[in-house]
Amino acid sequence: MNQISPAEAYRFFCDNPEVVFVDVRCDIEYLFVGHPEGALSIPWRNEPDWEINPDFLSKVREAASINRPIILICKSGCRSKEAGAFLKEHGFTEVYNVLHGFEGDLDGNYHRSSINGWRHDGLPWQQC
């Protein structure tokens, strides 16, 4: 799986109309924390039990088919990396994980979006 920075992911998404951008965080994070503009919400794990979403593979196949490039993002890059490995195991060939995710790593005060990540880099996002 390819690891790319938020800025690289944004450029790749903008420059390639075939790319499907998937936010794998839970529905609550997607709606209330915010998400990259143009990203679809397909949770990898969802509340309340944080089990793997049994519909994840079918929803990604529906959105992307096997041959389209897929960019995955989560809060910090961990869930999206796990989801990307799963997609690779199921035949997807061009999968990209956004390093540091949407919110980025924790700083010394346990805050996110102050060191790295999509929001830190000032890339387009929206909040519902």
Side-chain angles (χ1 to χ4, degrees):
M1 174 177 21
N2 302 295
Q3 306 291 327
I4 57 176
S5 72
E8 290 169 328
Y10 178 66
R11 280 192 302 275
F12 186 57
F13 180 62
C14 290
D15 292 346
N16 297 284
E18 290 295 309
V19 171
V20 176
F21 198 167
V22 177
D23 189 321
V24 303
R25 295 174 299 155
C26 73
D27 296 326
I28 300 295
E29 290 171 294
Y30 181 87
L31 293 172
F32 295 112
V33 176
H35 54 273
E37 287 183 3
L40 303 172
S41 176
I42 306 176
W44 168 239
R45 296 179 181 272
N46 222 344
E47 68 277 331
D49 298 323
W50 299 106
E51 298 291 327
I52 293 174
N53 177 359
D55 298 322
F56 180 76
L57 184 60
S58 65
K59 295 286 185 186
V60 172
R61 282 184 174 148
E62 183 180 311
S65 78
I66 281 285
N67 299 320
R68 291 175 69 183
I70 300 172
I71 297 172
L72 301 174
I73 195 168
C74 66
K75 176 173 64 178
S76 64
C78 294
R79 279 178 281 177
S80 52
K81 185 176 181 182
E82 187 179 89
F86 177 83
L87 291 177
K88 294 286 282 182
E89 289 172 10
H90 287 86
F92 289 85
T93 57
E94 197 172 354
V95 180
Y96 299 84
N97 179 47
V98 179
L99 294 168
H100 313 296
F102 184 69
E103 295 182 62
D105 298 323
L106 290 170
D107 66 15
N109 294 315
Y110 302 101
H111 297 147
R112 295 190 186 272
S113 299
S114 64
I115 297 175
N116 51 29
W118 188 274
R119 286 196 313 196
H120 173 269
D121 291 353
L123 300 168
W125 63 283
Q126 59 193 62
Q127 193 171 21
C128 299

